[in-house]
Amino acid sequence: MAHLYEKYGKEGTKEKLKEFAIKVMDEYAKNFKRPGISSHKDLLWYGKHENFRYYKHTDKEVKDGTRQKDDRKEGKQDHIQIIVSRKDITNRIKLSPQNTTKGKNKEHSAKLGEFNRTAFKQSGESLFDALFDFNRGLKDTLAYANTMQNGTVAQKTQMNLLQNIPNLKADQTIINDLGKNVAEGVFESVGKMIGTAGKLDTDLLSLFMEPVYIAPEENPVKPSKRKKKRQRENHRITG
């Protein structure tokens, strides 16, 4: 929201959010993969711009007593509230976002369509970045959040490697695209990820070439008295 306010101002942000909502609903329609359902015009839906959000009983601040239920939340809270029917604009085709079979159950998908929630969320993120020229850091991506919460050890290792690449001259979108591939389990290993990175190979490999700092021991072991005595005797002999 800070990015939108800086770029378009308060009133401009309101109009841009409406534009964004329409494009998101286009993606919502496409996600069902049903013939005849390809844009927001095929849906029965309503959207409203709202300026404020309010604390709910499930919010952490309400639970710990620092805020009361229905208190207005601080900061820029512009958003679009959307209500959408589970049938298309003709009221004949069923559309359920609760159907997450992703095409595995053909009979069920034929009745209700398919709906991949992760793909839908990802489309919203990608639309926002493209529409508003937003340079999103890897840590702010859906791919990063999903991987660090639900990914395998190998995926988390790969994602951490991407996150720790220092000041690359390459476009951040390239790093984020690699992050999406990591989240999808495309790479079997770090080596596979580096090999796929193309022009970023040198930068990725340089992480492994940097010197490793080894901290000195806090309590080094002192030589025994016998050894010290021998060293003093040797000094007398040679002195």
Side-chain angles (χ1 to χ4, degrees), residues 1-21 49 51 76 78-80 128 131-132:
M1 292 309 304
H3 174 77
L4 295 183
Y5 265 68
E6 181 179 354
K7 195 175 180 69
Y8 305 109
K10 181 174 177 60
E11 288 304 313
T13 292
K14 179 178 179 179
E15 296 307 312
K16 287 296 181 180
L17 283 177
K18 291 180 179 179
E19 178 183 344
F20 174 63
H49 174 271
N51 293 297
K76 300 175 178 66
D78 300 65
H79 63 282
I80 303 292
F128 186 95
L131 187 61
F132 303 128

Side-chain angles (χ1 to χ4, degrees), residues 81-127:
Q81 189 73 29
I82 291 176
I83 300 173
V84 58
S85 171
R86 290 201 181 188
K87 288 188 178 181
D88 74 326
I89 193 69
T90 67
N91 201 36
R92 294 196 304 265
I93 302 176
K94 293 180 180 180
L95 301 169
S96 175
Q98 300 299 324
N99 178 21
T100 57
T101 60
K102 300 179 182 179
K104 295 178 181 178
N105 187 329
K106 298 296 183 182
E107 184 178 349
H108 193 60
S109 295
K111 293 179 180 179
L112 299 177
E114 303 171 16
F115 200 85
N116 186 323
R117 294 186 190 182
T118 300
F120 176 56
K121 291 177 182 178
Q122 183 60 63
S123 68
E125 178 182 290
S126 300
L127 275 173

Side-chain angles (χ1 to χ4, degrees), residues 12 27 37 47 60 74 80 84 87 89 94 103 107 178 180 188-190 196 199 205 207-208 217 226 232:
E27 295 301 318
I37 309 297
K60 176 181 178 295
E74 302 83 0
I80 303 292
V84 58
K87 288 188 178 181
I89 193 69
K94 293 180 180 180
E107 184 178 349
L178 286 172
K180 292 176 188 176
E188 297 176 2
S189 64
V190 169
T196 307
K199 62 182 180 181
L205 287 172
L207 292 177
F208 303 101
E217 297 181 30
R226 180 177 298 178
R232 285 196 298 270

